Amino acid sequence: MDRRTFLSYLGTGAAALAAASAGLGTLEGKASAMSPTADHLFGYRTNQVSGYFDPIEPSKADELILPNGFKYDVVAAFDDIINEAGEKFGQGSDYNAFFPINGSNVHGLLVNNHEYTNIFGLGPIVGGKMSQDQLEKNLYYQGMSVIEVLRDESGVWQMDTSSKYARRINGFTTFEFTGPANRSSALNHASTAQGTFANCSGGVTFWNTVLSCEENFSETAEASKLPSTHYGWVVEIDPFDGSFLKKHTALGRFNHENTAMGLTKDRRIVVYMGDDKKDACVYKYISNGKYVPEQGRSNSALLTDGTLYVANLKNGKWIPVTYEALSKVLASEKFKAPAGVKGSREELMKQYQSQADVVTNCHEAALMLGGMPTDRPEDIEISPFDNTVFICHTNNDAHGNIHGHITRIFETDNDLGSLEFDFEIFAAGGRQSGFSSPDNLAFDSRGNLWVVTDISSSSTNQGVYTAFMNNGLFVIPTAGPSKGAAMQFASGPKDCELTGPFFTPDERTLFLSVQHPGENTTDLSKPTSLWPHREGDSKARCAVVAISGFRFN
């Protein structure tokens, strides 16, 4: 796709976008025409185009490269002080969510996830075992940061370290369990858990809280001698209230990537989720109760009482992940454990005694019930224009899916509560598209899909990944003549992946995380990256940046 075609598409607007969506009908010229999604951009009813730009070329440079006319400010980087208590910004910067203060587009709270630590935070690990000091740092630097941010009169974004809201949430913070596994034997009868870690992506709710997802938690739990069943959940925090800390067991325990919240036609809550590992499944949760806006944060209770479903793409059905359904499967003498599930029928019947056991061992239960293994389902987002659901299947070399793809689900009757669906491969990674290994997603209000990529650091600029160079950020129209064609907006520094794209409501600022630059470093005297290139610095630092320069017609 040439630049003229792309810019012509960007200028068409929401109404023309909808008209071009085959079989989906026309909309009313605004993103809120369908059932709303829990996305602050569309919650504020903006209808801007997210900027015109000259696409960039792939790069190997140790820089964050943007198109001409754009700039970025490093808002917070690893180890920066975030508040008057001296707490420090964590490592493995990932998901972002911006919450305006008093309706402002230039002043608010920014929530940032911290997925994992590396040599720049812990130092070299001797003999493959962390010291006590390293164990404590490992728990401290993971989790989440809540920071107060603002754009000053000169147009520069920065932290306000005097904020009364700024705080760290990490491996030492106490969380309350909710849902079917709370106080169950599956959790050693616990009602609380020590900390959250391995926080990858997440999502926002209709009641202005953040859902953060615990992904690759096993190694940290084992190293810290913490019960593994206390991790791998979706956690909920309120950016404005430090006492609100929950882990929702009804949403299942697995390697969570993110959440995408929407509404059924009868106004029940739906939460879509991916399980980020090879041969894992796609899920959605539907609440039993209905969302009532006037009840505010009390709607959080909807995440404790509902039904979890797993997708079977071959049959186009959502299958209930319940103890009742699993009991029927295991009751059959013809039962044979599918690939990915270990144990005899008798052993599995003993393991699964309640819904608490089902949600705690969700990945295996879903496979036994007929959930379809897929290729690393990572970020999932609901289109606010037509209620289709976009899923990043990052890759799976075991199946020959080297560059991944983006799947688009069409729920029957455009109802997110439907238990039947169809799907398409919306875009496939590879040389023909210019991107590989799609990971996180975000929509702008003209229906463009912003996609970051996750080629592993060990593979970047090597073999079949050479042409893509460093990981980047791409823009892909979801309808119209240029549907599915990608244009590169950003290229990250060495060894990093770009994560957590999130717009301010007026779309004039894009928050983006630069995660694990210099990850291939094994000798601190020879770092493979020094981004963000602070004067006198000898290490790379992950960070969240604020990108500005967007222009509107």
Side-chain angles (χ1 to χ4, degrees):
M1 177 174 57
D2 61 38
R3 178 173 178 267
R4 178 175 297 176
T5 302
F6 186 73
L7 295 184
S8 174
Y9 166 77
L10 283 177
T12 57
L17 163 67
S21 300
L24 296 177
T26 58
L27 305 186
E28 299 173 3
K30 59 182 181 180
S32 56
M34 297 297 292
S35 296
T37 63
D39 186 309
H40 280 212
L41 175 63
F42 302 104
Y44 283 87
R45 302 293 189 267
T46 64
N47 189 24
Q48 301 276 14
V49 58
S50 287
Y52 297 89
F53 65 92
D54 291 311
I56 68 169
E57 296 295 327
S59 172
K60 296 181 181 179
D62 189 31
E63 301 285 352
L64 176 57
I65 298 174
L66 304 174
N68 292 332
F70 291 83
K71 74 175 184 74
Y72 70 88
D73 303 312
V74 176
V75 180
F78 166 60
D79 238 12
D80 284 352
I81 301 296
I82 67 169
N83 58 21
E84 292 180 337
E87 292 184 296
K88 297 179 178 181
F89 195 71
Q91 199 168 35
S93 186
D94 203 305
Y95 175 73
N96 294 293
F98 176 77
F99 294 82
I101 292 177
N102 297 324
S104 174
N105 287 295
V106 297
H107 181 204
L109 297 186
L110 186 68
V111 178
N112 184 263
N113 277 355
H114 302 297
E115 187 174 6
Y116 57 89
T117 57
N118 62 27
I119 191 171
F120 297 118
L122 303 182
I125 297 175
V126 179
K129 186 176 182 179
M130 285 186 278
S131 67
Q132 184 60 38
D133 179 65
Q134 288 174 321
L135 287 169
E136 292 177 3
K137 287 181 176 178
N138 192 41
L139 290 175
Y140 178 82
Y141 282 125
Q142 293 185 66
M144 308 170 72
S145 287
V146 179
I147 60 176
E148 189 165 337
V149 298
L150 55 91
R151 191 181 72 199
D152 65 21
E153 293 181 356
S154 64
V156 176
W157 282 90
Q158 56 188 311
M159 275 194 293
D160 178 0
T161 57
S162 67
S163 171
K164 64 180 180 180
Y165 300 110
R167 63 192 185 276
R168 283 299 317 283
I169 300 163
N170 56 31
F172 298 104
T173 307
T174 300
F175 280 80
E176 172 191 349
F177 283 119
T178 75
N182 181 32
R183 299 182 185 274
S184 71
S185 58
L187 301 185
N188 302 319
H189 304 288
S191 61
T192 62
Q194 176 191 316
T196 185
F197 43 77
N199 300 76
C200 188
S201 190
V204 295
T205 69
F206 290 115
W207 45 94
N208 292 330
T209 62
V210 172
L211 299 179
S212 178
C213 294
E214 298 174 340
E215 190 186 58
N216 296 312
F217 57 87
S218 298
E219 187 174 323
T220 294
E222 181 179 358
S224 300
K225 295 182 171 56
L226 294 168
S228 64
T229 57
H230 287 197
Y231 309 96
W233 304 103
V234 173
V235 308
E236 184 180 11
I237 69 120
D238 185 335
F240 294 94
D241 181 356
S243 66
F244 188 82
L245 300 156
K246 299 180 182 295
K247 293 197 178 192
H248 292 300
T249 68
L251 301 183
R253 173 177 168 268
F254 44 85
N255 296 81
H256 283 276
E257 172 71 19
N258 87 310
T259 67
M261 181 176 285
L263 289 177
T264 66
K265 285 187 175 180
D266 62 1
R267 299 192 66 78
R268 289 175 293 151
I269 291 293
V270 181
V271 182
Y272 289 87
M273 298 168 286
D275 184 359
D276 182 14
K277 57 179 176 284
K278 296 177 182 179
D279 300 328
C281 299
V282 175
Y283 299 84
K284 78 173 177 182
Y285 167 89
I286 304 178
S287 65
N288 288 332
K290 295 181 179 181
Y291 170 61
V292 181
E294 295 75 17
Q295 293 182 359
R297 199 177 69 181
S298 297
N299 283 290
S300 175
L302 296 171
L303 300 178
T304 70
D305 181 23
T307 302
L308 185 66
Y309 296 87
V310 65
N312 184 305
L313 275 71
K314 181 178 180 179
N315 297 330
K317 295 184 182 298
W318 292 101
I319 302 169
V321 184
T322 63
Y323 175 64
E324 179 183 15
L326 186 60
S327 295
K328 292 179 180 178
V329 169
L330 291 174
S332 172
E333 295 183 357
K334 296 181 180 180
F335 170 80
K336 182 178 180 181
V341 177
K342 296 181 180 179
S344 65
R345 172 171 166 262
E346 291 73 21
E347 289 170 332
L348 292 167
M349 291 177 69
K350 185 176 180 180
Q351 179 182 2
Y352 290 92
Q353 295 287 316
S354 66
Q355 184 63 18
D357 297 325
V358 171
V359 295
T360 303
N361 303 284
C362 190
H363 172 74
E364 294 80 4
L367 291 175
M368 287 188 283
L369 286 164
M372 176 170 284
T374 64
D375 295 340
R376 287 187 62 199
E378 293 209 49
D379 207 309
I380 302 177
E381 297 295 338
I382 306 165
S383 168
F385 293 92
D386 56 31
N387 266 2
T388 57
V389 180
F390 289 77
I391 306 168
C392 278
H393 283 101
T394 299
N395 53 39
N396 188 345
D397 55 2
H399 293 170
N401 187 355
I402 307 300
H403 298 299
H405 60 274
I406 301 173
T407 303
R408 187 183 195 180
I409 283 181
F410 300 81
E411 297 280 27
T412 299
D413 297 326
N414 287 335
D415 184 0
L416 300 183
S418 175
L419 300 185
E420 295 185 353
F421 62 89
D422 199 354
F423 77 96
E424 68 180 17
I425 303 302
F426 168 73
R431 289 179 62 92
Q432 80 290 341
S433 60
F435 69 89
S436 175
S437 308
D439 188 341
N440 295 155
L441 301 172
F443 278 97
D444 66 35
S445 63
R446 289 295 175 94
N448 302 306
L449 195 61
W450 293 67
V451 184
V452 293
T453 61
D454 181 15
I455 303 170
S456 67
S457 298
S458 60
S459 299
T460 302
N461 292 303
Q462 299 182 46
V464 296
Y465 297 102
T466 301
F468 306 99
M469 301 190 189
N470 295 350
N471 279 306
L473 169 62
F474 297 80
V475 181
I476 308 178
T478 60
S482 301
K483 170 185 171 182
M487 301 283 280
Q488 187 162 359
F489 178 84
S491 176
K494 290 183 179 179
D495 301 348
C496 90
E497 58 176 301
L498 302 177
T499 58
F502 199 99
F503 285 100
T504 53
D506 64 358
E507 298 185 75
R508 294 186 181 274
T509 300
L510 173 65
F511 292 104
L512 187 69
S513 291
V514 179
Q515 189 183 61
H516 59 66
E519 185 179 43
N520 286 330
T521 298
T522 57
D523 183 345
L524 284 173
S525 68
K526 301 176 182 178
T528 58
S529 171
L530 285 174
W531 190 90
H533 302 287
R534 289 179 168 174
E535 186 176 354
D537 212 345
S538 60
K539 65 172 65 176
R541 298 179 187 271
C542 64
V544 58
V545 303
I547 298 173
S548 55
F550 297 100
R551 303 186 301 276
F552 307 108
N553 62 345

